[in-house]
Amino acid sequence: MKDFAISDSPRVQAQLNRLGALSLPQGRIGLEVIHALLDRLGNPQAALPPVFHVAGTNGKGSTCAYLRAMLEAQGLTVHGATKPHLVRYNERLRIAGKLVEDDLLADLLKEVLDLGEDLSPSFFEVTTAATFLAFHRFPADACVIEVGLGGRFDATNVLDGQAACGIATLGIDHEAFLLVPEANVPTVPLCRIAFEKAGIARPGVPLVTQAYPLDVTRTVIEHAMRVGAKTALRDLDWFADVGDAIHYRDRHGELTLPLPALVGTHQADNAALAVAMLRHQSQVDVSPEAMAEGIRAARWPARLQLLDTGPLTALAPGRKVWLDGGHNADAGLAIARHFAGAEPFHLITGMLSSKDPAAIVAPLRGKLLSLSVVPAPGHDAHAPEDFAAHSDLPVRPFADVPAALAALPPGGDVLIAGSLYLAGEVLRLNAEFPD
């Protein structure tokens, strides 16, 4: 599995070409290669500033955005690692609050690729090693690190002694990787997902979670007990009620916090998880005032984002154009909740062939004026006919988003959704580059 990456910098592109040629060797799973690679680099992951490590199916990137914004509102300097990138590979690596600059990125990737070439590392292992190398070499007060795929065997899962680990919303995704039959692990799909995500737990480190069904919660608790992690579970150890504000409480007391600027009721839940992670650790002090400021300030592109006026939205004059990179059933339900009271709108979607076409389309049945299907740039994608069974509308195929926008029937706003890769292409076409 690889991520498409291009750069305007020839030096970066030379390394991205090498990175793009890497793949996960068939049948290899585990952390042996990333450990060997980091050992050659002097194990930079062993000497990082306090780390906030976040896993989950949906919401982990937004939770990381809230954590970073709250820590920065406290006046702290923060390194950040998130994935995937939308427009530029640089988005994966934020050093002291700023996206990594091209020359430094090229140097980091070259160093790791040269040193580990004979290990045949994957795209993600090289990216993770370069990230830890940068975070070790440049000073900061804290690190916020998003898990990529799963948790137990994710390349970031070589960390120890984190300030706090968090697990965001859980759902069924990446089934081909996370639901492979294996002895002595849960067989109920959502419990298995929870088991994989809980793999980031460490002895003595707070493991802070959202609320899950009872059997899923039991899976998380059992794994935490095996490794000696300290659990902090929503609706057991911390509570958050969302209305006109976030009403948060735990053993430390009560807080009334503002609603996020990010759109969607689920964003208040993500912000509350970030608050809980900060409140259940002791390595970094963050005041309630900084938490409130961070919740207001946090931004996370391609999550129910209203696009600005730009070259792409100019093709749909007079309409609002929304963008969401969601691609699984839980994301589809979150989108449907947001648009529940809205007027019917047009959907433009493109999904990777590994995803379920019903995930976004089915929850929006009855809300759509038209359904247009485009490819997912650089990836195998579902054909238009794959969506037909999940909609009561004709499916309109187009070569790309500009063509779909230009051909929209009159009236109604627009949602573009179904893939983060599609979302990245939309942001690029509209000249909205994440910073």
Side-chain angles (χ1 to χ4, degrees), residues 57-58 169-172 190 266 327-337 359-360 363:
T57 306
N58 291 306
T169 303
L170 296 176
I172 305 301
L190 197 57
H266 58 288
H327 52 257
N328 56 37
D330 284 352
L333 291 173
I335 292 170
R337 285 194 297 269
I360 304 300

Side-chain angles (χ1 to χ4, degrees), residues 52-109:
F52 295 85
H53 198 194
V54 185
T57 306
N58 291 306
K60 62 183 183 291
S62 298
T63 301
C64 287
Y66 289 116
L67 282 167
R68 181 169 65 85
M70 293 177 194
L71 290 161
E72 290 179 342
Q74 185 67 31
L76 303 175
T77 301
V78 184
H79 295 326
T82 55
K83 53 192 71 68
H85 62 275
L86 294 171
V87 182
R88 302 173 65 217
Y89 180 93
N90 307 57
E91 297 163 34
R92 292 172 175 265
L93 180 55
R94 190 177 293 270
I95 300 176
K98 297 186 180 300
L99 296 186
V100 62
E101 296 182 355
D102 284 341
D103 284 346
L104 176 57
L105 176 59
D107 291 342
L108 288 166
L109 291 176

Side-chain angles (χ1 to χ4, degrees), residues 69-70 72-74 257-258 287-298:
M70 293 177 194
E72 290 179 342
Q74 185 67 31
L257 298 164
S287 69
E289 293 77 16
M291 292 176 187
E293 184 179 341
I295 289 173
R296 293 189 193 97

Side-chain angles (χ1 to χ4, degrees), residues 281-294:
Q281 56 84 41
S282 58
Q283 295 188 28
V284 181
D285 291 328
V286 180
S287 69
E289 293 77 16
M291 292 176 187
E293 184 179 341

Side-chain angles (χ1 to χ4, degrees), residues 333-410:
L333 291 173
I335 292 170
R337 285 194 297 269
H338 172 67
F339 287 105
E343 293 295 318
F345 55 91
H346 303 276
L347 175 65
I348 299 173
T349 188
M351 298 187 75
L352 302 189
S353 57
S354 59
K355 306 301 178 184
D356 181 2
I360 304 300
V361 176
L364 298 176
R365 187 185 292 266
K367 291 295 297 183
L368 300 181
L369 296 171
S370 71
L371 173 58
S372 303
V373 174
V374 298
H379 292 77
D380 293 334
H382 277 290
E385 54 267 25
D386 296 338
F387 295 85
H390 310 292
S391 175
D392 50 6
L393 294 171
V395 176
R396 295 151 36 94
F398 291 94
D400 52 32
V401 172
L405 277 174
L408 285 176

